[in-house]
Amino acid sequence: MPIARPRLLLSAALRGAPAAWLVLALASPIVGCDTGARLGALWRGLDERSDPQPIVAAATALVPGIDRLRRPGEFVLDLRADGALLLAEVDPAPPDSDGGRRLRVRAVGGRGAPKALADAGLLEDARYLPGTSALLAITVDHRLLLLDDAKGAPEVLARDAHGPLSIAPGGHFAALLRGAMPDLAPARLALARSTRSIETLDPALAPCWGVLVDDDGSLRFVAGRAGVRGGKPAWHRTGPAGSVGALLATPLVAAPSGGPFADGPTAPLRALRSVLFENEAGLHIVDDDGRSLGAPVSAFLPVALPGQAALLVHAARDGGALRVLDVRALEQAAAAGEPVR
Amino acid sequence: MRRRPPASALALLVLGDLLIAARAAQAVRLRRPFAPALAVRYGYDNNHGNAGCSDYNCGGDCYDGHTGSDFPLGLGTDVLAAAEGKVTQVNDGCANYGYFGNTCGGRCGNYVRIAHDDGTVTLYCHMLLGSLRVGVGDHVGCGQPIGRSASSGSSTGPHLHLGWIRGGVTTDAYRGPCTGSPGSWMQQNGYRQAVSDSCECQPSAEVCNGRDDDCDGKVDEDLQRGCGSDVGECSRGTEHCNGGQWQGCTGKPARAEECDGKDNDCNGKTDEDLVRGCGTDVGECTTGTEECIQARWSECSGVRAVPEICDRRDNDCNGATDEAEVCERDELVLQAGALDPGGSTDVDGDGRADACAVGASGVECHLARRGGFRDVVLGPPFAPRPGALPAIALGDLDGDGRADLCVLDGDGLGCYRSQDGRAFGARIEGPPVPAAGAAGEIGLVGTLRLMDVDGDGRADLCLRGAAGLACHRSSLRPRREEGGPGFDEAVVLADLSDAAGFGRTANLATLRMGDLDGDGRADVCARAADGVRCWLSDGRAFSRQVRGPEWSDAAGFAPLPMQATLRLADVDGDGRADLCGRTPEGFACHLSTGDGFGAKVAGPALAEPSWNEPSSYASLRLGDLDGDGRSDLCTRGEAGVSCTRSGGPRGFAEQWLGPSLTDAQGWNAPARYRTLRMADIDGDRRDDLCVRAGDGLRCYTWDGVPLALLVLGPAWSDAAGWDRVERFATIRIAGRGRGMAPEMWLLGGCSAGPVRQEGGPGGFALLFGALLLVVLFHRGRGR
């Protein structure tokens, strides 16, 4: 792994944001570590800070370090609080076809990733499990795997699994889709070792997509609700895991039936009071009831910064330049009716 | 009261039910779900779960994990129901240009699903937003437009994904050799051809085309025809149609022509145009071609493999050069007659070394006479041991001054005493032949020696076997009657046994014998990985071991071009054999002190790369050329023979040029340079140099300077077969005479005569001799 020189990181941070030196000072004990570790230190250092500006500025200052770790064509798939990065590259697909999206995934930085990741081959999606060294992955033959060095060989948690994967910030739940194209229905995976289980919603809801799971296990997703002439897809949600409505999907009546919907290759993300997701137009921000909060931002492949109201986003659908978005600024701009760039 | 329906109505109902049942039971066939005559571009992957993909025809028109058939429809093309049925699901609302990874509509984008009467389902994906013309519950007819094509959902460009679900399982819509699917199409047509756009079958005569031409629900049924021919090896038969292909001709079919004198391909010609590559480009070999002629393959035109010989080339073309100790074997066997001083081939006891070898009719010794070789003493016929080269040794077994002969042949060890230099006597059986050991027969052939190990003036018979070196002491007396036992107990050196780690050919090839301490008894030296060791004879045993110089593997003496040059020769004239050899620093001798080795005497560098060729390093000889009692060094290299005079402890200095035995003239051939011998053939106490040329043996003798006068020897020519190893390897010429004036050699009458070496000084000696004769003649007359 290439080692980023601390002096370069420092100067980049200072150029990006004058206040960032404070943040980097919090990480001073790890001078000499690689970029991944420095990222981890950055997240930890920012946990207690309330002002988002230094967060965005300091994170932005570390983008060149991440770029040095990326190979051409790679984008950031996920990152962990210790600074570990999952980098991915899309395997080329034939033109005018509909093959599954296949990713070549590798881990850099932090405490690394399970060794089994290198043997897992092409994946449809992969995400770190917060607070652990394990990760979840969906293979191109639709197996949901738990990769954990402590458990040895990968554990197959489910078959007929489809991405994208949504991981609740607390790390207790994950969500995905199950079935066969296009008959895909949302499924909720309880990750606690003692109560690990997977529940799949009524297949009659299919086709479904854009699943988000919250810390309480409630799901939010788009259902096509087939069967009505001229019918449109609509946002739905369920009750919290373990509740009476845990498997009962109800439409979000406030959300417009015409969209926008989360139909990008990544799952929706929750930050502050908003839900953020991508589609062909870019990154959308909606409120908890599914109401759009403004025009989409030209940003793709969003990745949550652990514990922060900020996202790392890419300039294009297949990757490209990185930048950091401040969710609070997005919300404020939407409330003021201003376009967010 | 309910009225019973009339019988005709019941009949109609029953008929209707039957029709429905029959219709439901019959497989629904699909038409092309669009108008353009487009073939499928990416088909269903039948390579279930494995990497890569396989389409229905075992081709690659698919991608891994694909569950349908992709047709390259342009944006907005009408999508048609592939068969009559009922719409069970639609999805609309996805953007027209979804992209790779887009999840809208469960990745299918805007789509329609139709259930057909036979339970099968068709699925039409990636359609244009807002273009769907049907809703759930609608009945659609075959070919009815249901929407338009686009690229919604997870799609990399406009196309139609058609899914065919049979028995609840997504199935390949096509039939073929790499799918278990029965196929869905009304008329599938050929591979990479568009399927039929007809909703109904048009009956015609069934032909072998993979289609249901007669619309009876069966494909290519009951089709059979005659096949094959009666030409050549073929015979006629019948074949049947399967999957659109004629198969299984019961006659004997044509096959590829073979080189067997038959018309295998049934074209009326036999073994025609059969040429194939042959050989290899490995090593010295080259590839070539061979041609079929009269049912046999001709000789390969390339260079073929030959048995490996020691020439730093890969002769047997197995990728290895001089492998299996071939060079070490050469050194052991081919140098046996050239290396050890002390033996003698003076069969007639006249002080001149005679030339002996195994010829076509047995051992023959050509006696050196005044002016050349003349009389021949024939020895016994020779039948070598199975798989072994002939092995002979000469030496004076009975102390009568004449060299006797010992052989290792098919009958074992036997010796023949020289009878007054005119013949060899009856066979005296030698000791039993020992077990050969790890090195095999060549270990015996290469170590047969006649050396005087007990100092009684009689040569003893030495042979190294698995148990070590055994020298059987001669008990023969000069005038003893023949027939009695010829040898007493053996002096054994077990340190040279296989068990002592001395069984490798490379070790045996360094075995040397000579008198190291000047006590008249032959001692033994040999080299192992840690250097040279010698064993001194006390007459009854090799009782004392002394260390030689540290010419160890670690010191760079392991390569054969170094260790093969190990020699024992008295270079300082003190009566003790010294140890010489080529070292990484050049040629050097360590002078014997009687109980070890002392000062180092340096010789020429011998550093050119050509000295790593066997034709050079194996040509190194030591002999006393100028009669000063010190062995001089002669070498044969690319440019011919060059000798260096020994100055004793002062080293080697003065150089003499010898005969022009150059590589360019072919003297680097083993049949030439392996026959180099140094011996005193004219009895002048100076060693001469003999070597076998193409037309026979040549010797170069003293004529004021060493090696100046050419003397022709026996006609051991190539034409007579003396270029074969079993001949030239047996040439023995050894020993130094009792002394004879050179002019006596010159004046001796000889028809063969000494022949002047071109440009040499011998002409003046002849002229001087003639003048001397004239003067003596006139003086005699005057008196």
Side-chain angles (χ1 to χ4, degrees):
Chain A
M1 180 190 304
I3 302 298
R5 293 182 182 279
R7 189 177 298 171
L8 293 176
L9 288 173
L10 182 63
S11 61
L14 291 175
R15 281 199 305 274
W21 67 272
L22 288 171
V23 177
L24 289 170
L26 293 171
S28 59
I30 56 161
V31 168
C33 297
D34 61 30
T35 298
R38 186 163 287 275
L39 279 167
L42 174 61
W43 311 148
R44 287 193 297 276
L46 292 174
D47 277 348
E48 298 168 0
R49 304 186 69 83
S50 57
D51 184 357
Q53 287 303 319
I55 300 171
V56 174
T60 300
L62 289 181
V63 164
I66 298 174
D67 282 338
R68 275 195 288 275
L69 296 174
R70 287 201 291 165
R71 296 169 182 159
E74 281 186 334
F75 61 90
V76 178
L77 186 62
D78 198 9
L79 55 80
R80 199 168 56 193
D82 68 347
L85 291 167
L86 282 181
L87 300 177
E89 181 183 11
V90 179
D91 202 41
D96 305 338
S97 70
D98 48 39
R101 187 167 178 258
R102 297 156 167 259
L103 303 178
R104 298 181 187 279
V105 181
R106 68 186 181 100
V108 296
R111 297 191 307 276
K115 296 182 180 66
L117 177 62
D119 302 325
L122 293 169
L123 300 174
E124 187 180 328
D125 200 3
R127 302 286 159 174
Y128 286 121
L129 292 182
T132 74
S133 60
L135 58 81
L136 281 180
I138 296 177
T139 64
V140 294
D141 59 351
H142 306 302
R143 290 174 297 139
L144 175 65
L145 302 181
L146 174 63
L147 306 178
D148 187 351
D149 278 342
K151 298 182 70 66
E155 182 182 357
V156 180
L157 301 180
R159 298 185 186 277
D160 302 323
H162 295 257
L165 278 164
S166 172
I167 310 289
H172 300 296
F173 296 99
L176 61 152
L177 294 163
R178 295 191 69 192
M181 166 185 148
D183 302 321
L184 304 179
R188 172 175 45 229
L189 173 66
L191 287 165
R193 186 166 298 176
S194 57
T195 59
R196 182 173 296 155
S197 61
I198 187 164
E199 301 168 300
T200 304
L201 270 61
D202 185 358
L205 288 169
C208 299
W209 62 95
V211 186
L212 165 69
V213 63
D214 279 313
D215 273 335
D216 63 359
S218 61
L219 301 176
R220 178 183 301 265
F221 58 93
V222 183
R225 281 288 182 183
V228 180
R229 180 188 292 270
K232 302 291 184 185
W235 282 104
H236 289 64
R237 73 177 165 199
T238 71
S243 71
V244 174
L247 296 177
L248 185 62
T250 55
L252 293 178
V253 293
S257 62
F261 301 113
D263 58 14
T266 59
L269 299 169
R270 177 176 291 284
L272 299 176
R273 296 178 305 277
S274 305
V275 173
L276 298 102
F277 57 83
E278 63 171 324
N279 68 9
E280 76 282 357
L283 187 72
H284 294 261
I285 179 167
V286 299
D287 66 14
D288 199 41
D289 292 324
R291 282 186 290 255
S292 176
L293 296 179
V297 180
S298 181
F300 300 91
L301 302 168
V303 179
L305 299 186
Q308 304 304 324
L311 305 179
L312 193 64
V313 296
H314 299 75
R317 283 203 297 249
D318 57 354
L322 283 169
R323 65 178 167 132
V324 178
L325 284 183
D326 175 5
V327 176
R328 185 166 285 116
L330 283 175
E331 288 180 342
Q332 289 169 352
E338 297 170 354
V340 179
R341 302 187 189 284
Chain B
M1 183 178 171
R2 293 181 63 184
R3 290 180 59 189
R4 292 180 57 140
S8 57
L10 280 174
L12 282 174
L13 282 173
V14 169
L15 182 60
D17 287 345
L18 286 174
L19 283 171
I20 292 168
R23 198 171 153 194
Q26 189 168 356
V28 170
R29 297 284 131 192
L30 307 183
R31 62 150 286 163
R32 192 168 70 230
F34 43 85
L38 297 171
V40 63
R41 183 167 183 186
Y42 303 112
Y44 186 96
D45 178 16
N46 290 281
N47 189 18
H48 304 288
N50 297 316
C53 76
S54 172
D55 67 23
Y56 68 93
N57 199 44
C58 312
D61 290 353
C62 50
Y63 46 84
D64 191 18
H66 194 215
T67 57
S69 302
D70 287 352
F71 297 93
L73 264 60
L75 184 74
T77 306
D78 275 344
V79 176
L80 313 176
E84 180 185 2
K86 184 178 176 183
V87 177
T88 58
Q89 193 179 35
V90 296
N91 185 72
D92 202 358
C94 296
N96 286 331
Y97 282 95
Y99 46 87
F100 192 32
N102 184 290
T103 58
C104 195
R107 304 188 193 284
C108 204
N110 307 310
Y111 66 85
V112 173
R113 191 193 301 255
I114 299 174
H116 302 286
D117 286 348
D118 63 349
T120 59
V121 172
T122 47
L123 174 68
Y124 310 78
C125 292
H126 312 305
M127 294 169 71
L128 195 70
L129 175 64
S131 75
L132 304 189
R133 301 188 196 178
V134 293
V136 172
D138 287 356
H139 180 272
V140 292
C142 177
Q144 178 181 331
I146 56 174
R148 284 183 286 155
S149 62
S151 184
S152 56
S154 181
S155 170
T156 58
H159 72 284
L160 171 68
H161 171 101
L162 177 72
W164 187 51
I165 297 120
R166 180 172 176 266
V169 178
T170 303
T171 308
D172 196 342
Y174 290 77
R175 66 171 175 276
C178 274
T179 177
S181 170
S184 68
W185 302 113
M186 188 67 73
Q187 285 190 331
Q188 180 170 304
N189 295 333
Y191 186 51
R192 292 174 177 164
Q193 290 181 352
V195 300
S196 167
D197 62 353
S198 173
C199 285
E200 293 182 2
C201 192
Q202 307 290 332
S204 62
E206 194 75 12
V207 295
C208 185
N209 58 3
R211 302 176 197 165
D212 178 17
D213 305 289
D214 56 3
C215 303
D216 65 352
K218 301 174 187 173
V219 175
D220 297 344
E221 73 279 11
D222 303 330
L223 292 178
Q224 186 171 318
R225 69 177 184 183
C227 60
S229 79
D230 287 324
V231 177
E233 296 298 303
C234 296
S235 63
R236 291 185 61 80
T238 57
E239 60 186 357
H240 63 276
C241 180
N242 186 12
Q245 305 285 332
W246 289 106
Q247 294 177 342
C249 184
T250 56
K252 191 174 177 184
R255 55 192 174 89
E257 194 72 12
E258 295 178 13
C259 184
D260 57 0
K262 298 174 182 172
D263 176 14
N264 311 97
D265 59 0
C266 308
N267 67 349
K269 302 174 186 172
T270 300
D271 295 349
E272 74 280 9
D273 304 330
L274 287 179
V275 177
R276 66 180 182 185
C278 57
T280 173
D281 280 325
V282 176
E284 296 300 302
C285 295
T286 59
T287 54
T289 57
E290 51 191 12
E291 192 177 350
C292 181
I293 301 170
Q294 294 181 333
R296 290 193 171 194
W297 290 106
S298 64
E299 289 284 309
C300 185
S301 62
V303 176
R304 291 192 300 175
V306 295
E308 192 75 10
I309 60 172
C310 177
D311 59 356
R312 304 181 74 189
R313 295 186 177 93
D314 177 13
N315 314 95
D316 59 0
C317 309
N318 67 348
T321 299
D322 294 348
E323 74 278 14
E325 293 194 308
V326 65
C327 292
E328 287 80 356
R329 294 164 68 91
D330 277 6
E331 289 309 309
L332 176 58
V333 176
L334 303 182
Q335 296 287 73
L339 295 181
D340 286 311
S344 167
T345 60
D346 182 9
V347 174
D348 56 357
D350 66 352
R352 303 181 184 96
D354 305 312
C356 299
V358 178
S361 57
V363 178
E364 55 187 71
C365 287
H366 296 254
L367 303 182
R369 299 293 195 207
R370 290 176 182 171
F373 294 87
R374 288 195 298 172
D375 301 324
V376 179
V377 176
L378 293 178
F382 198 101
R385 288 161 65 81
L389 289 170
I392 65 172
L394 287 108
D396 184 5
L397 291 170
D398 53 11
D400 66 355
R402 288 188 285 269
D404 308 303
L405 168 70
C406 287
V407 301
L408 173 61
D409 61 11
D411 294 328
L413 281 166
C415 296
Y416 303 85
R417 297 170 67 176
S418 170
Q419 305 279 24
D420 298 329
R422 295 188 301 273
F424 287 107
R427 181 180 180 105
I428 303 167
E429 289 304 325
V433 178
E441 282 292 323
I442 64 164
L444 301 176
V445 173
T447 60
L448 180 64
R449 303 276 194 281
L450 290 183
M451 304 292 284
D452 181 8
V453 298
D454 55 5
D456 63 357
R458 291 172 295 185
D460 307 306
L461 191 157
C462 298
L463 187 64
R464 190 269 173 199
L469 178 70
C471 289
H472 301 269
R473 296 166 59 199
S474 169
S475 59
L476 297 171
R477 296 284 183 268
R479 292 181 181 75
R480 180 174 170 173
E481 290 298 320
E482 295 180 351
F487 297 93
D488 291 334
E489 75 282 8
V491 177
V492 177
L493 179 54
D495 285 352
L496 300 186
S497 66
D498 282 9
F502 205 80
R504 290 182 55 235
T505 305
N507 296 129
L508 300 185
T510 65
L511 191 148
R512 304 286 184 265
M513 297 185 75
D515 183 5
L516 295 175
D517 50 5
D519 63 356
R521 294 189 280 257
D523 309 305
V524 180
C525 288
R527 201 195 79 89
D530 58 350
V532 178
R533 277 177 279 177
C534 298
W535 293 265
L536 303 181
S537 168
D538 63 7
R540 293 181 300 279
F542 294 103
S543 55
R544 188 168 163 218
Q545 184 185 144
V546 296
R547 296 288 299 188
E550 291 295 327
W551 287 347
S552 63
D553 288 1
F557 212 75
L560 196 60
M562 301 289 174
Q563 61 172 301
T565 63
L566 194 70
R567 300 286 188 273
L568 285 180
D570 181 8
V571 299
D572 59 354
D574 64 354
R576 295 187 292 241
D578 308 305
L579 188 65
C580 301
R582 179 177 173 231
T583 73
E585 292 79 36
F587 184 80
C589 294
H590 285 263
L591 302 181
S592 171
T593 61
D595 57 357
F597 295 95
K600 175 182 170 183
V601 175
L606 308 183
E608 294 82 7
S610 64
W611 276 99
N612 293 324
E613 300 291 340
S615 58
S616 293
Y617 69 72
S619 301
L620 189 148
R621 299 287 183 271
L622 284 157
D624 182 8
L625 293 175
D626 54 1
D628 64 356
R630 293 191 285 251
S631 287
D632 309 303
L633 171 67
C634 286
T635 57
R636 195 216 69 85
E638 286 178 291
V641 174
S642 172
C643 299
T644 311
R645 183 171 183 266
S646 170
R650 296 191 307 277
F652 294 85
E654 185 181 353
Q655 195 169 40
W656 299 302
L657 279 181
S660 179
L661 310 182
T662 63
D663 285 4
Q665 294 174 349
W667 288 94
N668 56 346
R672 300 279 186 278
Y673 72 82
R674 289 286 183 188
T675 64
L676 277 167
R677 304 284 186 268
M678 292 195 77
D680 177 11
I681 66 163
D682 53 9
D684 64 353
R685 295 199 171 195
R686 299 183 187 99
D687 281 330
D688 310 302
L689 181 72
C690 295
V691 66
R692 198 191 69 81
D695 54 356
L697 191 72
R698 299 177 182 183
C699 294
Y700 300 86
T701 65
W702 173 270
D703 190 10
V705 292
L707 314 182
L709 186 64
L710 172 62
V711 177
L712 295 181
W716 291 337
S717 65
D718 291 353
W722 284 85
D723 56 348
R724 285 158 37 202
V725 66
E726 64 268 29
R727 292 274 180 276
F728 71 74
T730 66
I731 294 174
R732 299 287 186 271
I733 312 170
R736 202 170 299 149
R738 297 187 297 267
M740 181 185 293
E743 54 272 26
M744 294 305 291
W745 162 262
L746 286 167
L747 293 173
C750 60
S751 57
V755 177
R756 295 281 158 205
Q757 189 177 5
E758 190 176 353
F764 293 102
L766 264 182
L767 184 60
F768 175 76
L771 287 173
L772 187 63
L773 273 176
V774 172
V775 170
L776 289 174
F777 176 74
H778 282 288
R779 271 192 172 185
R781 287 188 67 182
R783 284 174 187 168

